Every structure is written in C-alpha cells, then in structure tokens.
C-alpha cells in the first residue's frame, strides 16, 4: 500500500469514528449546576461508572447476532432515559477514550480530571473564604452530597504556637438540596429531614467544638490520613465533632462518610467531613486518595491565606501609622483628607499628606509621593514625613524645607526619589507661600465657584540633588478651598496628568454649582466627589488628598508688638494686652492674661539679645505667643518656699487651657490659649 493509500484509509477511519461519536452517545462530561460559570468545570467521577457499564459488550443473543435487545426500543435508548452507546468496530462510542482502553483506566482518568479541576479551583483562592468555598463547590455534588469544613479558631500563623484550647469552628457547609438543577440526575437526595435544618446551619452540626485531649477526634486528627466513618474511632470522632444530636453522627456505620484531617505545613488546622446519601454508591479506597489530595491542597491554601492576611494587616497598619491619625484644627482653616491605596491587594504605598500648625496661627500643608508601592516605599515615606514635621517646627521657609528633604532622601539611598509640595497658609495675611518638588500643582476653588490651577514652579523631585527650589507667594481669598493631591488622582495609563487636572477643575466647578455662588460645598462630600475623577476601574496608583477651607482671620482680630529686651518690657506688655482685650470686649480676661503675659515676657527678656515679639489672636479662643531669640525651652518646675523664681510656667500651666513651647530656626516661641 502506498503512502497516499495509507493516509486515505486513516482519514476514512477518523471520519467514521467522529460520525459514530456525534450520533451514538451523549456521555461527554458537562459542568454541573454547582460549577457552571466558575471557570473550571469540575468533572464528575460518577460518570466513569456509567461509562464503564456502557463500554461492556452486550451478552444477550440479540447482541450476538447484531439485532436489538428486547428491552431497548428502536431508538436504542434504555428505559432510564440516557442513550446507551453502541460499540463500533475498533472504536469506543465515548469521545475522549482511546479504542480498546479498559474501563478501569477510564475511571482513573475521570478521577484525575476531577482532581485536577478541583485543585485548580482551590488554588485560585487568595483569602480564607475563597479557598474554603472552592473546596465546597468542587466536591458538591461531583464527589459528595454534603461537606462540612471545620477550622482551628484562632488559626496559627507561620511558626506561631497555636493557642489553647484546641478549638474547631464550623467555617462552611455545602449540600445538595431540593430545587438544585440536575440533582436527581446526579443521584443526590436530601440527607436530613426538613425539620432538622433550622437547628444548625448546614447539616445539624455543632458550630464550635473543643477538642478533648486523648479523645477520639484528636486521635483521628493526628492520624492525618482520611478515614471512613465506619470505624469505631471515626464514629466516636464524628460524635465529638458534630454532637450526639446530629443526624450525621447517628447515621448507619458505612463508607458513605469520610473524615479528612486538614494538615498544613506544620500542624493540623482543621477537618473536612464528606458525606454521600443513600442514592449514591459508597466511597471506595480510591476515593480516600482523592479526599487526601483535596485536604492537602486545602490545608496548604489555608496556610497561605492566613499568612497573606497577616501580611496585608501589617501593611495596612504600617500605612495607617505613617499617615496622620487625625488632622489638627488650626485657627482660620478647616481640613479634610482622604487616602486610597492602588488596590486592596497592595495597600502599602509612598503617598502621604500632613498638616502642621505653625507660630502666628499659620499652618503648613504638605503632600508627597515616594516612588513605588512597597513596604520600602512606605518606610521611606515615613522618614521623609518625620523629617518634614521636624523642619516645619523650625519655621523654615518652604524652599528650605524641600532642600533639607532632598538632602535627607540622598542619605537614604541613591534611588530614593519622591515628589513633594509644601505650602504655608497665613490666615491673617490671607496668603499662601508654596514650593514644589516635581509634584502636581495645587488647585484652588474660589468662593464664587470658579476653579484654577495655581502657578507654582514644579522644580525637581526630592532625591535628585544639586538643584534649588523656588517659593512663590500667592493670594488665598477668604472662603476659597485649596486641594493638594498626588498624581494617582489625575493620572492613569489612559489619561495624562494635564487632562486629569482639567477634569479635576471641571468636577470642582460642577460640585460648587450645586451649592451656588458664595456657598462653598462642604469639605467631606467634596473630597468624596473628586476621588472618582478618573472613573471606576481606571485608577492604578495611590491617592492622597488634602483639602483646606481657607476661612482666614480678620486683621482686626490679631495684634502684634515688638518689645525691647529691658526691664520695662513686662509692664509694656501688660498695658498692650489690656488695651487689645478692651477693644475685643474681653475685659473679664484681663487679670489672667496680664498675669500670664507678664510671666512669659519676663522669662523672654531675661536672656534675649534681640527684640521680643508679642502676638495676640482672638477667634473662638484667645491665643498669646511670645517669640525670642533664645533656643532653650522653658520647663515647669516646682519652686521651694525660699526660691525667688521658678513659678512662672507653673502659673501658666494652672491657668491656661493649653500651652506649649517650640524651637524655631532662630530662637523659640512660647504660647498659651485661654
């Protein structure tokens, strides 16, 4: 026979086999109702039994002579309703099985396909609930009619020693119930009477059980390998696990129940109970192997999920501690903030914001972004934020703060890059002094509803080194809203920064139009509104947002004087404070304020070499500040009966509502509030 003849004969045989397979059987494995739409169709090992029976040749005389058996109709359909495949010459009527393969091999192949699909589904889970759900949906109804999964409570993490007592808690149950599609065809049935269902969720099992030392349940768990429920040890373990009143624990002792311990990397972390109803064949030895594989994959997945949850919790707590727990309430400005990670699976990033009160009722507003989305980025962010707070307390100009942050970033490493915007708002002068290090520009929403991008020179990012930073002073109208943000709010893979900023301005204008001109929108709803500038699902970076309502302070509510460091300065300070209080209608505070001002000014002029500044600000509270050129901070001490001094700060602490002292770049400021 020539090569062409051999190819033609092979093609004719293939076409004949395909025709028989398409017309003579419907035994292809289909996804069940429980697995449809889940990604992987879980093959049903029970189909191997039907295929094995279908593959056996008929033994009736009619089959031997090629006729139709008496119990079949003309359409070759058995009385049960499923077509019976016809054996062909050298071809199996079932697709997917090689010609002449024994039924045992086909059953083993079906079990392997089921096990592969089930383990893939379990492995796809990333958290605890997904993994346990994957196990339940994989085995019911394909491998079992019901399943109960108990896990240790609490679950140990990694090398941690488990806590005592050894307690198991029912994590999830699944079962075949009436109304499930194809239940009858899958052989499922109700395992419990309807009256028993409300007593416990699932299968009438205990919600929680304490494992008894030297008990039957502990012995089964230590054995690690799955066991049938027919043994005496397994029966006692089921009673201890499910409770004596559970119908499953009191079921007949046979091989319709498997108790499968869940052993993780180091210890047993739970147990799964697999149950088959009376309408299905009992479990066999091969099913124990399948149960062992499912239990192993589930236990390892649970270990993975617990470790992942712990790492996510640590990352989340790290990020939260790096950001302000709460924002201050400085005079003349209201603040609101938001932070959103790039994804729930990556909660750590380098974005941060901060608000730092400064002398003179001013406030420093900071927002920054360290490159990357890792724990390292968060750690660098924390160091830069701490450095920014320290520099701000020294009352350095914005450009000097960025210069020192740039030096700090270079000390942290060669590739420690970050962007930062540092702005100082003066509520009395209604000005904003800002300096930028490669950060997106701030946006100002005016009181009349118009929004604009403030012109702040961008500068180079922090960490570049060898570059200078420029500060600009801008007008900050009373009642306007300032927004500082990171690029995650306005930039994505589908949108550049400029387009995103334009959309942000348009969103602010539309939001302000809802409240009308002269009525700025509330800060908290405004922050929620602008977070979705990019639209849902378009964001791929962290977002840090700081919004400031610049209410300002009226110039008439503040007074400031310069006093020479001489003995007459305390008396002058008392006189000036008395006049300011009279102008504000606060005569009832005159005695207390005069006493405290006299004590603080006396301490300042005793060591000062330059003029001392006295400042009073009246808003919802009265604030007094005394600035001098001496860096040493005052401390409160208890003076003895014979001491002539040492009582000034003690009086301040007793009479003032709040007080404090802070170092500046030159000298210090001592303040108190009444």
């Amino acid at each position: 026979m020539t090569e062409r003849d051999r190819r033609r004969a092979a093609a004719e045989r293939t076409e004949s086999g395909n025709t028989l397979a398409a017309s003579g059987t419907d035994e292809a494995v289909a996804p069940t109702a429980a697995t449809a739409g889940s990604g992987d169709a879980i093959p049903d090992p029970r189909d191997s039994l039907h295929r094995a029976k279908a593959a056996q040749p008929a033994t009736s005389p009619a089959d031997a002579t090629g006729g139709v058996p008496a119990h079949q109709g003309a359409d070759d359909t058995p009385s049960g309703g499923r077509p019976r495949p016809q054996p062909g010459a050298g071809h199996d009527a079932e697709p997917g099985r090689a010609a002449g393969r024994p039924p045992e091999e086909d059953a083993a192949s079906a079990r392997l396909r089921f096990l592969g699909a089930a383990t893939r589904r379990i492995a796809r889970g990333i958290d605890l609930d997904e993994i346990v759900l994957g196990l339940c949906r994989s085995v019911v109804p394909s491998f079992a009619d019901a399943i109960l999964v108990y896990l240790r409570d609490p679950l140990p993490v990694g090398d941690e020693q488990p806590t005592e007592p050894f307690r198991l808690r029912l994590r999830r149950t699944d079962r075949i119930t009436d109304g499930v599609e194809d239940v009858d065809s899958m052989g499922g049935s109700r395992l419990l009477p309807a009256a028993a269902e409300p007593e416990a969720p699932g299968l009438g099992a205990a919600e929680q059980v304490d494992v008894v030392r030297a008990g039957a349940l502990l012995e089964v768990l230590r054995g690690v390998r799955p066991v049938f429920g027919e043994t005496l040890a397994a029966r006692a373990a089921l009673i201890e696990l499910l409770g004596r009143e559970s119908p499953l624990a009191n079921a007949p002792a046979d091989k319709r129940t498997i108790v499968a311990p869940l052993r993780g990397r180091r210890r047993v972390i739970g147990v799964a109970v697999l149950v088959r109803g009376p309408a299905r064949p009992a479990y066999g030895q091969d099913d124990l192997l399948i149960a062992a594989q499912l239990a192993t994959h589930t236990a390892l997945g649970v270990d993975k999920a617990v470790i992942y949850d712990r790492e996510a919790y640590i990352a989340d707590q790290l990020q939260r501690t790096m950001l302000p727990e709460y924002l201050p309430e400085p005079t003349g400005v209201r603040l609101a903030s938001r932070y959103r990670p790039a994804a729930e699976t990556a909660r750590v990033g380098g974005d941060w914001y901060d608000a730092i009160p400064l002398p003179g009722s001013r406030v420093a507003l900071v927002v920054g972004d360290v490159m990357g989305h890792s724990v390292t980025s968060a750690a660098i962010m924390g160091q830069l934020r701490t450095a920014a707070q320290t520099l701000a307390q020294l009352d350095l100009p914005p450009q000097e703060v960025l210069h020192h942050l740039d030096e700090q970033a270079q000390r942290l490493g060669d590739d420690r890059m970050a962007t930062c915007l540092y702005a100082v708002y003066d509520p009395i002068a209604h000005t904003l002094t800002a300096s930028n290090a490669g950060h997106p520009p701030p946006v100002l929403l005016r009181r009349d509803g118009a929004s604009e991008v403030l012109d702040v020179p961008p500068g180079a990012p922090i960490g570049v080194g060898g570059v200078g930073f420029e500060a600009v002073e801008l007008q900050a109208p009373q009642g306007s809203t300032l927004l500082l943000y990171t690029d995650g709010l306005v930039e994505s893979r589908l949108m550049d920064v400029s387009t995103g900023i334009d959309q942000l301005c348009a969103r602010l204008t539309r939001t302000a139009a809802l409240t009308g001109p002269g009525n700025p929108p509330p800060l908290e709803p405004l922050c929620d509104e602008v977070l979705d500038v990019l639209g849902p699902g378009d964001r791929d970076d962290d977002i840090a947002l700081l919004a400031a309502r610049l209410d300002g302070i009226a110039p008439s509510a503040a007074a400031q004087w310069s006093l020479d460091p001489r003995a007459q300065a305390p008396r002058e300070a008392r006189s000036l404070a008395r006049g300011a209080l009279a102008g504000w209608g606060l005569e009832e505070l005159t005695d207390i304020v005069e006493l405290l001002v006299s004590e603080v000014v006396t301490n300042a002029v005793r060591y000062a070499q330059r003029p001392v500044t006295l400042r009073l600000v009246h808003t919802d509270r009265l604030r007094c500040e005394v600035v001098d050129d001496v860096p040493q901070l005052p401390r409160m001490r208890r003076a003895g009966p014979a001491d002539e001094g040492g009582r000034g700060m003690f009086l301040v602490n007793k009479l003032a509502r709040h007080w404090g002292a802070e170092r500046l770049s030159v000298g210090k400021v001592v303040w108190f509030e009444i």
Side-chain angles (χ1 to χ4, degrees):
M1 179 182 294
T2 64
E3 181 64 19
R4 179 179 298 177
D5 294 335
R6 285 195 296 268
R7 291 180 180 178
R8 181 178 299 173
E12 291 175 355
R13 288 195 299 270
T14 301
E15 182 177 359
S16 174
N18 291 340
T19 302
L20 288 173
S23 60
T25 183
D26 64 348
E27 292 293 319
V29 177
T32 66
T35 62
S38 63
D40 279 335
I42 307 297
D44 195 337
R46 292 174 295 176
D47 288 343
S48 61
L49 179 62
H50 298 293
R51 288 193 292 268
K53 292 181 178 179
Q56 294 176 359
T59 57
S60 63
D63 290 335
T65 59
V68 179
H71 65 276
Q72 290 189 1
D75 58 352
D76 194 40
T77 301
S79 58
R82 299 188 66 178
R84 173 171 296 181
Q86 289 289 335
H91 294 282
D92 193 344
E94 180 198 355
R97 195 178 78 186
R101 189 166 63 184
E104 293 78 5
E105 293 185 9
D106 184 67
S109 177
R111 287 193 293 269
L112 290 177
R113 290 198 303 272
F114 162 76
L115 189 59
T119 53
R120 284 195 302 272
R121 182 164 187 172
I122 295 170
R124 279 203 304 265
I126 196 172
D127 63 22
L128 193 59
D129 291 332
E130 290 179 352
I131 292 171
V132 175
L133 177 63
L135 170 65
C136 294
R137 294 294 173 83
S138 298
V139 301
V140 177
S142 300
F143 186 70
D145 289 340
I147 182 173
L148 301 94
V149 180
Y150 283 85
L151 294 180
R152 191 161 189 162
D153 184 30
L155 282 166
V157 181
D159 295 330
E160 290 183 357
Q161 291 297 322
T163 60
E164 294 295 338
F166 188 169
R167 178 170 298 162
L168 295 175
R169 185 177 297 275
L170 183 61
R171 188 75 186 191
R172 187 177 181 88
T173 65
D174 204 355
R175 60 179 296 183
I176 296 176
T177 58
D178 289 344
V180 177
E181 184 178 357
D182 294 335
V183 168
D184 292 337
S185 65
M186 300 301 294
S189 62
R190 298 184 69 87
L191 302 179
L192 299 175
E197 293 179 4
E199 296 179 0
L203 301 170
E207 288 283 344
Q208 176 181 304
V209 58
D210 291 336
V211 180
V212 180
R213 291 183 177 273
L217 179 57
L218 186 60
E219 290 300 320
V220 171
L221 295 179
R222 286 176 175 173
V224 178
R225 297 182 180 278
V227 295
F228 291 123
E230 63 177 355
T231 63
L232 293 178
R235 300 299 301 172
L238 285 173
I239 293 176
E240 182 180 346
L241 178 66
L242 306 179
R244 292 187 178 275
E245 303 300 325
S246 173
L248 292 181
N250 296 312
D254 54 19
K255 294 184 178 181
R256 298 184 183 277
T257 303
I258 292 179
V259 181
L262 304 178
R263 178 176 176 81
R265 292 175 175 83
R266 293 174 177 83
R267 59 184 64 87
V268 174
I269 59 174
V271 61
V273 180
L274 306 172
V275 184
R276 281 185 179 177
R280 297 181 62 174
Y283 289 113
Q285 290 297 325
D286 291 338
D287 295 323
L288 282 181
L289 300 178
I290 293 178
Q293 288 293 321
L294 294 176
T296 299
H297 282 275
T298 302
L300 295 178
V302 169
D303 267 355
K304 173 189 67 176
V306 172
I307 294 175
Y308 171 79
D309 288 343
R310 171 63 63 86
E311 292 179 350
Y313 172 79
I314 294 174
D316 184 62
Q317 292 301 310
L318 174 63
Q319 185 71 41
R320 290 179 183 276
T321 54
M322 293 295 184
L323 297 174
E325 184 177 355
Y326 58 88
L327 292 174
E329 298 179 358
T331 303
V333 59
R334 287 173 288 170
L335 301 171
S337 63
R338 293 291 186 274
Y339 175 80
R340 280 191 179 178
E344 287 299 321
T345 55
R347 303 178 185 179
V348 181
D351 293 18
W352 91 91
Y353 60 87
D354 213 342
I356 309 165
L358 301 177
S361 300
R362 296 170 301 150
V363 58
L365 306 174
V366 192
V367 64
D369 184 3
V370 177
M371 294 178 57
H373 304 90
S374 63
V375 175
T376 302
S377 301
I380 296 172
M381 176 267 286
Q383 296 180 69
L384 293 180
R385 177 175 174 247
T386 302
Q389 288 179 329
T390 303
L391 296 169
Q393 294 295 338
L394 297 177
D395 201 14
L396 296 176
Q399 68 273 21
E400 290 296 325
V401 172
L402 294 184
H403 173 73
H404 288 291
L405 288 178
D406 180 60
E407 293 181 340
Q408 175 67 15
Q410 294 179 66
R411 286 190 289 268
L412 295 177
D414 296 334
D415 56 347
R416 307 313 189 196
M417 305 284 290
T419 63
C420 182
L421 179 65
Y422 186 94
V424 176
Y425 171 61
D426 189 337
I428 300 175
H430 299 286
T431 58
L432 184 73
T433 305
S435 185
N436 193 353
H439 203 79
V443 174
L444 187 70
L445 176 63
R446 296 185 177 273
R447 191 179 181 88
D448 60 2
S451 60
E452 62 174 309
V453 180
L454 298 183
D455 186 12
V456 181
I462 290 173
V464 173
V467 297
F469 301 97
E470 181 182 353
V472 294
E473 183 175 298
L474 306 169
Q475 292 299 313
Q478 185 176 5
S480 57
T481 305
L482 180 70
L483 266 71
L484 308 182
Y485 53 91
T486 55
D487 56 357
L489 181 66
V490 294
E491 183 183 25
S492 69
R493 290 186 295 267
L494 304 177
M495 182 184 302
D496 57 57
V497 176
S498 299
T499 304
I501 293 176
D502 292 341
Q503 291 195 8
L504 173 61
C505 293
R507 178 69 64 90
L508 290 174
T509 302
R510 291 195 302 269
T511 305
L514 300 176
T515 57
N519 297 309
L523 277 182
E524 297 293 342
L526 181 65
C527 290
D528 295 333
E529 182 67 23
V530 301
L531 281 179
D532 295 327
V533 169
L534 294 179
D538 295 337
R539 196 166 46 82
D540 52 15
D541 198 0
D542 301 351
I543 294 178
L545 174 65
L546 180 62
R549 178 65 44 77
L550 310 180
D551 295 326
I553 299 175
S556 59
Q560 179 173 310
W561 306 275
S562 181
L563 305 174
D564 293 329
R566 53 195 181 95
Q568 294 80 6
R571 184 180 60 189
E572 295 177 6
R574 290 194 298 269
S575 176
L576 294 171
R578 187 186 311 113
L581 293 176
W584 294 330
L586 301 176
E587 290 84 356
E588 69 277 5
L589 299 178
T590 300
D591 293 340
I592 296 178
V593 173
E594 283 189 14
L595 175 61
L596 299 185
V597 166
S598 179
E599 292 294 339
V600 177
V601 171
T602 298
N603 289 340
V605 299
R606 177 176 297 178
Y607 307 103
Q609 301 296 323
R610 299 177 183 178
V612 175
T613 300
L614 172 63
R615 183 184 301 115
L616 293 177
V617 179
H618 172 225
T619 53
D620 57 340
R621 55 189 178 269
L622 181 66
R623 181 183 177 95
C624 174
E625 297 179 354
V626 177
V627 182
D628 61 64
D629 62 345
V630 181
Q632 286 79 15
L633 299 179
R635 60 186 179 89
M636 186 178 63
R637 62 185 179 90
R638 188 178 298 275
D643 294 340
E644 296 183 359
R647 298 177 177 83
M649 301 314 299
F650 180 80
L651 291 174
V652 173
N653 181 67
K654 285 295 185 180
L655 299 177
R657 180 189 301 176
H658 304 289
W659 77 278
E662 301 164 0
R663 283 193 175 91
L664 304 177
S665 57
V666 177
K668 68 176 180 297
V669 56
V670 180
W671 59 270
F672 64 84
E673 294 179 352
I674 296 178

